[in-house]
Amino acid sequence: MTYDLIVVGSGPGGYVAAIRGAQLGMNVAVVERAELGGICLNWGCIPTKSLLKSAQVYDYMKHSADYGIAVEGEIKPDFEKIVERSRGVANKMSAGIQYLLKKNKVTVINGFGKLTVDKKLEVLAEDGSKTNYEAKHIILATGARSRELPNLPQDGKKIIGYRKALTLDKLPKSMIVVGSGAIGSEFAYFYSSLGTQVTLVEFMPTILPIEDEEVSKQMGRSFKKNKIKVMVKSSVESVEGEEGDLKVNIKNKKGEIEVHECEIVLSAVGISPNTENIGLEEAGVETKNGRVVVDDYFRTNVEGVYAIGDILEGPALAHVASAEGICCVEKIMGMNVEPIDYTTIPGCTYTTPEVASMGLTEKAAKEAGHEIKVGKFPFSASGKASAAGANEGFVKLIFDAKYGELLGAHMVGANVTEMIAELVTARKLETTGHELIKAIHPHPTMSEAVMEAAAAAYDEVIHI
């Protein structure tokens, strides 16, 4: 029952940390109370992308005539089959994690892990039995869950969170989505695409509020074009009713109460870290605002105890948790490791059009005191985008005017989530604006817009 490393949680942070530890020669175990792969693979990142792909295919079929393809008969979504496909994709990915852990000789312990006073790990199995384990190093990677608002308690039937939104029995006729971050926006697009009447309610002045203002405004226009009603500077005050349609009282941007009726309310107002009942108090692990406090290498104040992922302050993203897990384990093994640079973390939203970003927004760059150059290239001027029938959106790049440093990249358009890694790499390698301009991009591609946006910042753009 003794290991070099025990990882609590098998999400994108936990299983990656466990496998990296095994690669470096440690005897590793991972503790998991539910499905391997955590929320991301089973109830988040992966199944939502399956749903969104189905919505995209349906949208293509509805507009097939635009591409010269005639389709006879009624085109309609089979909601049950769409959900079934999504669950199948998630199950396959979870089985893949099981294979990877077995391949790397990582022991899987089923149950709920909790730190003890003497820095051991107590695991509560499903049958109620408890087993104590010891390890030189314990990494907490317990993830997060849907955050609940006091005035919007989730009952799992009429007021739901993202998990239930993945597996509804039938397509609702109407839905109010509360919160327009990535989760809320993706579900708003998905359900609207299939025919649900969707209202998106956001407390902040723009949807996708952490994005660059121009990106947020473009997405607002795109959503309205797709018949999603967008209410910004608004909040859900209360919900009435249990059977039939709900009455939702929404305070609008004028401060007036509007009563909206809908079949389902989806609460997508962020996440809450899973830090309760995992022994933080008993072991003396320091927390702040409900999250674990760590140093640059994810060490807590208790020797031998580490934490990564959504239970920390910072962006709650799968790729961030994975990077933190690798950094943490490599530091444990004495490797020369650089702390993670959180200014290069990409964020993606998989709506149609997609959104991808990295670094400072234009507003944040100015507030930080930078003198900047901004380049913007619209996909309406892209040959590939026009050929694909996807000329909505743009690429926007922000450079430091003095040194040419890439400060931020912001994109909205088709497949931009596949393009953002170029800008992450460019910033990581301290690539300048002129170097981006001189990097020959293939034609015709959507990625040419990166080169063109860089050129626009320096008044060298050719195609606009």
Side-chain angles (χ1 to χ4, degrees):
M1 300 299 181
T2 301
Y3 295 87
D4 297 320
L5 170 66
I6 296 178
V7 183
V8 185
S10 71
Y15 83 77
V16 168
I19 290 173
R20 186 65 181 128
Q23 288 175 342
L24 294 173
M26 285 196 276
N27 180 21
V28 183
V30 63
V31 178
E32 177 54 63
R33 62 176 176 175
E35 306 96 338
L36 290 172
I39 291 296
C40 176
L41 267 70
N42 295 283
W43 300 102
C45 322
I46 302 304
T48 54
K49 302 311 157 287
S50 173
L51 296 179
L52 290 164
K53 186 61 181 181
S54 294
Q56 186 184 55
V57 171
Y58 179 50
D59 192 56
Y60 269 135
M61 294 181 72
K62 287 191 295 182
H63 295 93
S64 63
D66 296 343
Y67 299 88
I69 308 295
V71 178
E72 295 182 1
E74 184 183 5
I75 302 169
K76 60 180 181 180
D78 186 332
F79 188 71
E80 185 177 336
K81 290 291 186 183
I82 289 172
V83 172
E84 184 182 317
R85 177 180 182 272
S86 170
R87 299 316 309 153
V89 170
N91 292 338
K92 181 180 179 181
M93 295 301 297
S94 183
I97 301 305
Q98 184 176 9
Y99 163 77
L100 290 173
L101 291 170
K102 184 178 181 180
K103 174 189 172 185
N104 286 279
K105 298 181 173 57
V106 174
T107 302
V108 176
I109 302 168
N110 296 309
F112 186 92
K114 180 180 179 180
L115 291 171
T116 61
V117 176
D118 52 358
K119 214 191 72 179
K120 295 179 181 178
L121 194 73
E122 177 188 274
V123 177
L124 175 65
E126 194 173 349
D127 63 6
S129 62
K130 295 180 180 180
T131 307
N132 285 329
Y133 297 86
E134 293 185 51
K136 296 176 185 176
H137 309 282
I138 297 173
I139 298 177
L140 303 175
T142 51
R145 62 191 182 279
S146 179
R147 176 178 165 231
E148 290 196 45
L149 295 177
N151 60 334
L152 206 60
Q154 297 173 21
D155 60 15
K157 297 176 182 178
K158 304 293 283 184
I159 303 176
I160 64 174
Y162 62 80
R163 185 162 176 157
K164 184 63 179 177
L166 289 165
T167 57
L168 287 177
D169 296 329
K170 63 183 181 69
L171 185 67
K173 293 179 180 178
S174 56
M175 174 183 285
I176 290 176
V177 179
V178 186
S180 72
I183 295 171
S185 291
E186 288 176 5
F187 276 119
Y189 163 72
F190 169 70
Y191 279 104
S192 174
S193 295
L194 299 186
T196 300
Q197 182 183 335
V198 174
T199 299
L200 183 60
V201 180
E202 172 56 54
F203 181 75
M204 300 298 284
T206 59
I207 64 170
L208 292 169
I210 68 169
E211 299 294 343
D212 187 86
E213 190 174 340
E214 286 191 85
V215 169
S216 297
K217 287 181 177 178
Q218 173 65 56
M219 284 304 299
R221 292 191 293 270
S222 297
F223 274 10
K224 288 174 184 176
K225 179 182 172 183
N226 290 324
K227 298 181 180 178
I228 298 173
K229 182 174 182 180
V230 176
M231 299 180 68
V232 295
K233 295 183 181 179
S234 302
S235 60
V236 172
E237 299 298 298
S238 61
V239 179
E240 300 169 9
E242 295 180 1
E243 301 295 330
D245 282 353
L246 301 170
K247 292 186 183 297
V248 182
N249 298 304
I250 302 175
K251 182 187 287 186
N252 63 25
K253 59 185 176 183
K254 295 180 181 179
E256 301 166 346
I257 298 294
E258 296 182 15
V259 180
H260 292 250
E261 292 189 357
C262 70
E263 191 176 335
I264 295 286
V265 173
L266 168 57
S267 178
V269 291
I271 60 169
S272 296
N274 293 325
T275 52
E276 302 91 347
N277 305 315
I278 60 172
L280 297 178
E281 297 84 359
E282 291 87 341
V285 175
E286 183 184 355
T287 62
K288 183 179 180 182
N289 299 324
R291 286 175 163 79
V292 180
V293 176
V294 295
D295 66 10
D296 287 345
Y297 299 103
F298 310 102
R299 297 173 291 208
T300 70
N301 62 307
V302 177
E303 186 178 355
V305 178
Y306 312 79
I308 60 173
D310 295 356
I311 59 174
L312 309 181
E313 283 288 347
L317 298 167
H319 43 282
V320 172
S322 296
E324 290 173 345
I326 291 171
C327 177
C328 177
V329 169
E330 290 182 347
K331 187 66 175 179
I332 287 172
M333 294 301 291
M335 297 176 67
N336 184 19
V337 184
E338 288 183 12
I340 289 175
D341 178 4
Y342 288 91
T343 68
T344 63
I345 300 297
C348 298
T349 304
Y350 299 85
T351 46
T352 295
E354 293 180 346
V355 173
S357 62
M358 178 277 304
L360 298 177
T361 63
E362 181 176 350
K363 180 181 178 183
K366 289 176 179 176
E367 289 176 348
H370 292 281
E371 187 178 334
I372 61 174
K373 287 184 179 290
V374 178
K376 185 177 172 184
F377 187 80
F379 285 119
S380 58
S382 162
K384 178 63 180 294
S386 294
N391 55 11
E392 200 172 12
F394 55 84
V395 172
K396 178 178 179 179
L397 303 181
I398 301 162
F399 299 97
D400 180 89
K402 186 175 181 181
Y403 300 107
E405 176 190 3
L406 176 63
L407 300 174
H410 307 277
M411 309 177 181
V412 54
N415 298 320
V416 295
T417 59
E418 304 293 343
M419 293 164 52
I420 192 64
E422 174 185 356
L423 282 312
V424 173
T425 304
R427 179 165 168 78
K428 177 72 173 174
L429 298 177
E430 299 182 350
T431 304
T432 66
H434 280 107
E435 287 171 330
L436 270 176
I437 296 168
K438 298 303 181 185
I440 300 172
H441 286 61
H443 175 79
T445 59
M446 299 292 284
S447 64
E448 284 176 292
V450 171
M451 176 183 68
E452 297 276 16
Y458 291 90
D459 298 321
E460 298 179 20
V461 64
I462 300 295
H463 291 100
I464 52 173

